[in-house]
Amino acid sequence: MLSQQSHFPAAMSPPSMAAVYYKYGPVDTVIRLTEIPPVEISENDVCVKMLAAPINPADINRIEGVYPNQPPLPAVGGGEGVGEIHSVGSAVKVFSPGDLVIRSPYVPGAWQTYMVEEQSLWHKIDKSTPIEYAATVSVNPVSALRMLNEFVTLKPGDSIVQNGATSIVGQCFIQLARFRGIHSINIIRDSPKSDEVKEKLIKLGADKVFTESELDVKRVKILLGDTPEPILGLNCVGGNAATLLVKFLKQGGTMVTYGGMSRDPVVVSTSNFIFKDITLKGFWLQEWKLSKTKYRDWIDYLLGLARAGKLKYEMELVSFNDFHKALEKAMGKHGSQRKQVLIF
């Protein structure tokens, strides 16, 4: 007698609306909103209803094709985000519908209304967390925390110097350094609103804020006053802004480059290498090897600060239906300085 087996229909996700790109190139021309049919939910998968996801410069660079490792095409954009568990596979025990979760960074696909992925890619967080901070914590704030912790040994009373101070990473550097009693010297671009920007950064905890033109002098260290010379410099701009940053560094200082917003090369004088023993390093979060436990501990620490109102940065919440408007702002076409966060 043949044994009989019950065949249950596979659990499926709802259909999803997604921002999909089919080739690499200028992001505003190669990506479009597309409906994705339901996806099967395997036993170790979770289906997550996305709530919010930011548009990061790294997301744009990935779609432009400038990164060495790329997902197979077509692909859904977006490298981080927060969602709510919609349903779970039969073997999933650690998640339940309604849990608030964030995804591992740089796993492509955050810009869609529903996601189906293996449960290990998600981390449950406190439901009281503001979704805009949950959506943005795993790339920029984590990068700031890592760079402060792992390139040089900083102690209370030390100093750091950075350009790109108005970015989310820059704002996090200022606040995280202040919590540890570390001084921050900050370089910003010249603009008609420079004084307003300075005031905002000082309110966050910045010790010194200078425009690039204010540093067009031979001895920039005179501007420090009683603030110690920084041992760590954090560069995300390149070009002249990086050259100015190096001028501040003390003997044996280190500059870490984690971006190149100006698209100009980093130029360091020979004398800074020979007579100041300057060290140059690079940082790319995607290639950073960190244990899952430590990474998630850092996430919980940062979100705890955000819930307590101790970690703040500027964001603009935009409906996913207005994706292309948000994309234009994220690319700087409308002069917006705020991080664009898509709300689903």
PDB file of all heavy atoms in Angstrom, residues 44-69:
ATOM      1  N   ASN A  44      12.582  28.514   6.830  1.00  0.00           N
ATOM      2  CA  ASN A  44      13.458  29.374   7.631  1.00  0.00           C
ATOM      3  C   ASN A  44      13.385  30.844   7.237  1.00  0.00           C
ATOM      4  O   ASN A  44      14.197  31.652   7.691  1.00  0.00           O
ATOM      5  CB  ASN A  44      14.906  28.898   7.523  1.00  0.00           C
ATOM      6  CG  ASN A  44      15.143  27.600   8.258  1.00  0.00           C
ATOM      7  OD1 ASN A  44      14.779  27.485   9.432  1.00  0.00           O
ATOM      8  ND2 ASN A  44      15.731  26.627   7.581  1.00  0.00           N
ATOM      9  N   ASP A  45      12.413  31.187   6.417  1.00  0.00           N
ATOM     10  CA  ASP A  45      12.253  32.564   5.951  1.00  0.00           C
ATOM     11  C   ASP A  45      11.289  33.339   6.835  1.00  0.00           C
ATOM     12  O   ASP A  45      10.445  32.771   7.538  1.00  0.00           O
ATOM     13  CB  ASP A  45      11.708  32.592   4.525  1.00  0.00           C
ATOM     14  CG  ASP A  45      12.724  32.156   3.492  1.00  0.00           C
ATOM     15  OD1 ASP A  45      13.934  32.149   3.813  1.00  0.00           O
ATOM     16  OD2 ASP A  45      12.306  31.828   2.371  1.00  0.00           O
ATOM     17  N   VAL A  46      11.418  34.659   6.762  1.00  0.00           N
ATOM     18  CA  VAL A  46      10.404  35.552   7.315  1.00  0.00           C
ATOM     19  C   VAL A  46       9.953  36.491   6.207  1.00  0.00           C
ATOM     20  O   VAL A  46      10.737  36.854   5.325  1.00  0.00           O
ATOM     21  CB  VAL A  46      10.921  36.366   8.519  1.00  0.00           C
ATOM     22  CG1 VAL A  46      11.225  35.462   9.693  1.00  0.00           C
ATOM     23  CG2 VAL A  46      12.145  37.191   8.149  1.00  0.00           C
ATOM     24  N   CYS A  47       8.690  36.846   6.243  1.00  0.00           N
ATOM     25  CA  CYS A  47       8.158  37.855   5.330  1.00  0.00           C
ATOM     26  C   CYS A  47       7.997  39.133   6.144  1.00  0.00           C
ATOM     27  O   CYS A  47       7.326  39.145   7.183  1.00  0.00           O
ATOM     28  CB  CYS A  47       6.816  37.416   4.762  1.00  0.00           C
ATOM     29  SG  CYS A  47       6.009  38.679   3.724  1.00  0.00           S
ATOM     30  N   VAL A  48       8.632  40.202   5.677  1.00  0.00           N
ATOM     31  CA  VAL A  48       8.657  41.463   6.409  1.00  0.00           C
ATOM     32  C   VAL A  48       7.955  42.549   5.596  1.00  0.00           C
ATOM     33  O   VAL A  48       8.253  42.733   4.409  1.00  0.00           O
ATOM     34  CB  VAL A  48      10.111  41.892   6.709  1.00  0.00           C
ATOM     35  CG1 VAL A  48      10.146  43.257   7.389  1.00  0.00           C
ATOM     36  CG2 VAL A  48      10.802  40.848   7.572  1.00  0.00           C
ATOM     37  N   LYS A  49       7.031  43.213   6.243  1.00  0.00           N
ATOM     38  CA  LYS A  49       6.414  44.406   5.651  1.00  0.00           C
ATOM     39  C   LYS A  49       7.322  45.586   5.962  1.00  0.00           C
ATOM     40  O   LYS A  49       7.484  45.974   7.106  1.00  0.00           O
ATOM     41  CB  LYS A  49       5.026  44.649   6.223  1.00  0.00           C
ATOM     42  CG  LYS A  49       4.313  45.865   5.621  1.00  0.00           C
ATOM     43  CD  LYS A  49       2.982  46.112   6.298  1.00  0.00           C
ATOM     44  CE  LYS A  49       2.220  47.235   5.601  1.00  0.00           C
ATOM     45  NZ  LYS A  49       2.990  48.519   5.594  1.00  0.00           N
ATOM     46  N   MET A  50       7.955  46.134   4.943  1.00  0.00           N
ATOM     47  CA  MET A  50       8.889  47.226   5.166  1.00  0.00           C
ATOM     48  C   MET A  50       8.141  48.485   5.612  1.00  0.00           C
ATOM     49  O   MET A  50       7.052  48.793   5.108  1.00  0.00           O
ATOM     50  CB  MET A  50       9.690  47.503   3.904  1.00  0.00           C
ATOM     51  CG  MET A  50      10.628  46.372   3.504  1.00  0.00           C
ATOM     52  SD  MET A  50      11.845  45.966   4.783  1.00  0.00           S
ATOM     53  CE  MET A  50      12.872  47.443   4.764  1.00  0.00           C
ATOM     54  N   LEU A  51       8.754  49.196   6.546  1.00  0.00           N
ATOM     55  CA  LEU A  51       8.173  50.430   7.067  1.00  0.00           C
ATOM     56  C   LEU A  51       8.941  51.663   6.609  1.00  0.00           C
ATOM     57  O   LEU A  51       8.342  52.700   6.329  1.00  0.00           O
ATOM     58  CB  LEU A  51       8.134  50.388   8.604  1.00  0.00           C
ATOM     59  CG  LEU A  51       7.322  49.259   9.234  1.00  0.00           C
ATOM     60  CD1 LEU A  51       7.465  49.302  10.754  1.00  0.00           C
ATOM     61  CD2 LEU A  51       5.847  49.365   8.834  1.00  0.00           C
ATOM     62  N   ALA A  52      10.261  51.552   6.552  1.00  0.00           N
ATOM     63  CA  ALA A  52      11.076  52.713   6.174  1.00  0.00           C
ATOM     64  C   ALA A  52      12.445  52.252   5.705  1.00  0.00           C
ATOM     65  O   ALA A  52      12.978  51.245   6.188  1.00  0.00           O
ATOM     66  CB  ALA A  52      11.217  53.682   7.341  1.00  0.00           C
ATOM     67  N   ALA A  53      13.024  52.997   4.766  1.00  0.00           N
ATOM     68  CA  ALA A  53      14.372  52.710   4.266  1.00  0.00           C
ATOM     69  C   ALA A  53      14.961  54.004   3.710  1.00  0.00           C
ATOM     70  O   ALA A  53      14.270  54.749   3.002  1.00  0.00           O
ATOM     71  CB  ALA A  53      14.337  51.637   3.172  1.00  0.00           C
ATOM     72  N   PRO A  54      16.233  54.298   4.012  1.00  0.00           N
ATOM     73  CA  PRO A  54      16.843  55.531   3.511  1.00  0.00           C
ATOM     74  C   PRO A  54      17.419  55.377   2.114  1.00  0.00           C
ATOM     75  O   PRO A  54      17.576  54.262   1.606  1.00  0.00           O
ATOM     76  CB  PRO A  54      17.966  55.777   4.523  1.00  0.00           C
ATOM     77  CG  PRO A  54      18.400  54.395   4.883  1.00  0.00           C
ATOM     78  CD  PRO A  54      17.140  53.552   4.897  1.00  0.00           C
ATOM     79  N   ILE A  55      17.744  56.516   1.523  1.00  0.00           N
ATOM     80  CA  ILE A  55      18.529  56.544   0.285  1.00  0.00           C
ATOM     81  C   ILE A  55      19.922  57.027   0.668  1.00  0.00           C
ATOM     82  O   ILE A  55      20.120  58.205   0.990  1.00  0.00           O
ATOM     83  CB  ILE A  55      17.902  57.476  -0.772  1.00  0.00           C
ATOM     84  CG1 ILE A  55      16.479  57.022  -1.103  1.00  0.00           C
ATOM     85  CG2 ILE A  55      18.757  57.506  -2.032  1.00  0.00           C
ATOM     86  CD1 ILE A  55      15.756  57.944  -2.086  1.00  0.00           C
ATOM     87  N   ASN A  56      20.872  56.119   0.680  1.00  0.00           N
ATOM     88  CA  ASN A  56      22.252  56.446   1.043  1.00  0.00           C
ATOM     89  C   ASN A  56      23.105  56.662  -0.207  1.00  0.00           C
ATOM     90  O   ASN A  56      22.806  56.096  -1.272  1.00  0.00           O
ATOM     91  CB  ASN A  56      22.864  55.304   1.861  1.00  0.00           C
ATOM     92  CG  ASN A  56      22.303  55.227   3.263  1.00  0.00           C
ATOM     93  OD1 ASN A  56      22.091  56.245   3.913  1.00  0.00           O
ATOM     94  ND2 ASN A  56      22.061  54.015   3.744  1.00  0.00           N
ATOM     95  N   PRO A  57      24.172  57.461  -0.101  1.00  0.00           N
ATOM     96  CA  PRO A  57      25.094  57.586  -1.235  1.00  0.00           C
ATOM     97  C   PRO A  57      25.590  56.236  -1.740  1.00  0.00           C
ATOM     98  O   PRO A  57      25.761  56.038  -2.949  1.00  0.00           O
ATOM     99  CB  PRO A  57      26.241  58.425  -0.659  1.00  0.00           C
ATOM    100  CG  PRO A  57      25.596  59.249   0.409  1.00  0.00           C
ATOM    101  CD  PRO A  57      24.555  58.344   1.018  1.00  0.00           C
ATOM    102  N   ALA A  58      25.799  55.285  -0.826  1.00  0.00           N
ATOM    103  CA  ALA A  58      26.263  53.957  -1.237  1.00  0.00           C
ATOM    104  C   ALA A  58      25.234  53.256  -2.117  1.00  0.00           C
ATOM    105  O   ALA A  58      25.602  52.508  -3.035  1.00  0.00           O
ATOM    106  CB  ALA A  58      26.572  53.104  -0.002  1.00  0.00           C
ATOM    107  N   ASP A  59      23.945  53.488  -1.854  1.00  0.00           N
ATOM    108  CA  ASP A  59      22.897  52.889  -2.690  1.00  0.00           C
ATOM    109  C   ASP A  59      22.989  53.424  -4.117  1.00  0.00           C
ATOM    110  O   ASP A  59      22.844  52.677  -5.091  1.00  0.00           O
ATOM    111  CB  ASP A  59      21.514  53.210  -2.112  1.00  0.00           C
ATOM    112  CG  ASP A  59      21.320  52.669  -0.705  1.00  0.00           C
ATOM    113  OD1 ASP A  59      21.826  51.570  -0.421  1.00  0.00           O
ATOM    114  OD2 ASP A  59      20.659  53.346   0.101  1.00  0.00           O
ATOM    115  N   ILE A  60      23.210  54.722  -4.221  1.00  0.00           N
ATOM    116  CA  ILE A  60      23.318  55.359  -5.539  1.00  0.00           C
ATOM    117  C   ILE A  60      24.567  54.850  -6.266  1.00  0.00           C
ATOM    118  O   ILE A  60      24.520  54.501  -7.455  1.00  0.00           O
ATOM    119  CB  ILE A  60      23.335  56.890  -5.377  1.00  0.00           C
ATOM    120  CG1 ILE A  60      21.969  57.366  -4.851  1.00  0.00           C
ATOM    121  CG2 ILE A  60      23.675  57.571  -6.702  1.00  0.00           C
ATOM    122  CD1 ILE A  60      21.937  58.818  -4.448  1.00  0.00           C
ATOM    123  N   ASN A  61      25.691  54.786  -5.541  1.00  0.00           N
ATOM    124  CA  ASN A  61      26.938  54.305  -6.157  1.00  0.00           C
ATOM    125  C   ASN A  61      26.801  52.875  -6.648  1.00  0.00           C
ATOM    126  O   ASN A  61      27.335  52.499  -7.699  1.00  0.00           O
ATOM    127  CB  ASN A  61      28.088  54.402  -5.155  1.00  0.00           C
ATOM    128  CG  ASN A  61      28.480  55.831  -4.856  1.00  0.00           C
ATOM    129  OD1 ASN A  61      28.207  56.730  -5.638  1.00  0.00           O
ATOM    130  ND2 ASN A  61      29.123  56.047  -3.715  1.00  0.00           N
ATOM    131  N   ARG A  62      26.085  52.055  -5.877  1.00  0.00           N
ATOM    132  CA  ARG A  62      25.906  50.662  -6.287  1.00  0.00           C
ATOM    133  C   ARG A  62      25.153  50.586  -7.616  1.00  0.00           C
ATOM    134  O   ARG A  62      25.516  49.823  -8.517  1.00  0.00           O
ATOM    135  CB  ARG A  62      25.146  49.889  -5.211  1.00  0.00           C
ATOM    136  CG  ARG A  62      24.931  48.423  -5.562  1.00  0.00           C
ATOM    137  CD  ARG A  62      24.223  47.703  -4.443  1.00  0.00           C
ATOM    138  NE  ARG A  62      25.001  47.717  -3.225  1.00  0.00           N
ATOM    139  CZ  ARG A  62      26.057  46.940  -3.013  1.00  0.00           C
ATOM    140  NH1 ARG A  62      26.462  46.094  -3.946  1.00  0.00           N
ATOM    141  NH2 ARG A  62      26.714  46.993  -1.886  1.00  0.00           N
ATOM    142  N   ILE A  63      24.089  51.362  -7.742  1.00  0.00           N
ATOM    143  CA  ILE A  63      23.279  51.334  -8.959  1.00  0.00           C
ATOM    144  C   ILE A  63      24.063  51.906 -10.142  1.00  0.00           C
ATOM    145  O   ILE A  63      23.917  51.458 -11.277  1.00  0.00           O
ATOM    146  CB  ILE A  63      21.958  52.096  -8.731  1.00  0.00           C
ATOM    147  CG1 ILE A  63      21.130  51.378  -7.658  1.00  0.00           C
ATOM    148  CG2 ILE A  63      21.147  52.200 -10.027  1.00  0.00           C
ATOM    149  CD1 ILE A  63      19.972  52.199  -7.115  1.00  0.00           C
ATOM    150  N   GLU A  64      24.929  52.861  -9.868  1.00  0.00           N
ATOM    151  CA  GLU A  64      25.765  53.429 -10.928  1.00  0.00           C
ATOM    152  C   GLU A  64      26.826  52.427 -11.405  1.00  0.00           C
ATOM    153  O   GLU A  64      27.413  52.615 -12.478  1.00  0.00           O
ATOM    154  CB  GLU A  64      26.460  54.694 -10.424  1.00  0.00           C
ATOM    155  CG  GLU A  64      25.509  55.869 -10.236  1.00  0.00           C
ATOM    156  CD  GLU A  64      26.171  57.061  -9.572  1.00  0.00           C
ATOM    157  OE1 GLU A  64      27.193  56.866  -8.867  1.00  0.00           O
ATOM    158  OE2 GLU A  64      25.674  58.189  -9.743  1.00  0.00           O
ATOM    159  N   GLY A  65      27.064  51.392 -10.604  1.00  0.00           N
ATOM    160  CA  GLY A  65      28.010  50.355 -11.004  1.00  0.00           C
ATOM    161  C   GLY A  65      29.448  50.624 -10.640  1.00  0.00           C
ATOM    162  O   GLY A  65      30.357  50.006 -11.201  1.00  0.00           O
ATOM    163  N   VAL A  66      29.682  51.512  -9.657  1.00  0.00           N
ATOM    164  CA  VAL A  66      31.059  51.878  -9.340  1.00  0.00           C
ATOM    165  C   VAL A  66      31.689  50.951  -8.302  1.00  0.00           C
ATOM    166  O   VAL A  66      32.903  51.018  -8.081  1.00  0.00           O
ATOM    167  CB  VAL A  66      31.141  53.343  -8.833  1.00  0.00           C
ATOM    168  CG1 VAL A  66      30.626  54.291  -9.876  1.00  0.00           C
ATOM    169  CG2 VAL A  66      30.377  53.524  -7.525  1.00  0.00           C
ATOM    170  N   TYR A  67      30.903  50.085  -7.660  1.00  0.00           N
ATOM    171  CA  TYR A  67      31.453  49.179  -6.653  1.00  0.00           C
ATOM    172  C   TYR A  67      31.958  47.896  -7.304  1.00  0.00           C
ATOM    173  O   TYR A  67      31.409  47.425  -8.307  1.00  0.00           O
ATOM    174  CB  TYR A  67      30.402  48.843  -5.604  1.00  0.00           C
ATOM    175  CG  TYR A  67      30.158  49.948  -4.600  1.00  0.00           C
ATOM    176  CD1 TYR A  67      29.070  49.906  -3.734  1.00  0.00           C
ATOM    177  CD2 TYR A  67      31.016  51.039  -4.496  1.00  0.00           C
ATOM    178  CE1 TYR A  67      28.844  50.901  -2.803  1.00  0.00           C
ATOM    179  CE2 TYR A  67      30.799  52.040  -3.578  1.00  0.00           C
ATOM    180  CZ  TYR A  67      29.714  51.967  -2.726  1.00  0.00           C
ATOM    181  OH  TYR A  67      29.504  52.959  -1.809  1.00  0.00           O
ATOM    182  N   PRO A  68      32.994  47.283  -6.717  1.00  0.00           N
ATOM    183  CA  PRO A  68      33.573  46.076  -7.324  1.00  0.00           C
ATOM    184  C   PRO A  68      32.679  44.850  -7.268  1.00  0.00           C
ATOM    185  O   PRO A  68      32.758  43.991  -8.139  1.00  0.00           O
ATOM    186  CB  PRO A  68      34.860  45.857  -6.519  1.00  0.00           C
ATOM    187  CG  PRO A  68      34.646  46.576  -5.231  1.00  0.00           C
ATOM    188  CD  PRO A  68      33.778  47.748  -5.550  1.00  0.00           C
ATOM    189  N   ASN A  69      31.844  44.727  -6.238  1.00  0.00           N
ATOM    190  CA  ASN A  69      30.957  43.556  -6.159  1.00  0.00           C
ATOM    191  C   ASN A  69      29.517  44.019  -6.300  1.00  0.00           C
ATOM    192  O   ASN A  69      29.070  44.915  -5.599  1.00  0.00           O
ATOM    193  CB  ASN A  69      31.158  42.799  -4.843  1.00  0.00           C
ATOM    194  CG  ASN A  69      30.975  43.681  -3.615  1.00  0.00           C
ATOM    195  OD1 ASN A  69      31.122  44.893  -3.704  1.00  0.00           O
ATOM    196  ND2 ASN A  69      30.655  43.079  -2.495  1.00  0.00           N
TER     197      ASN A  69
END
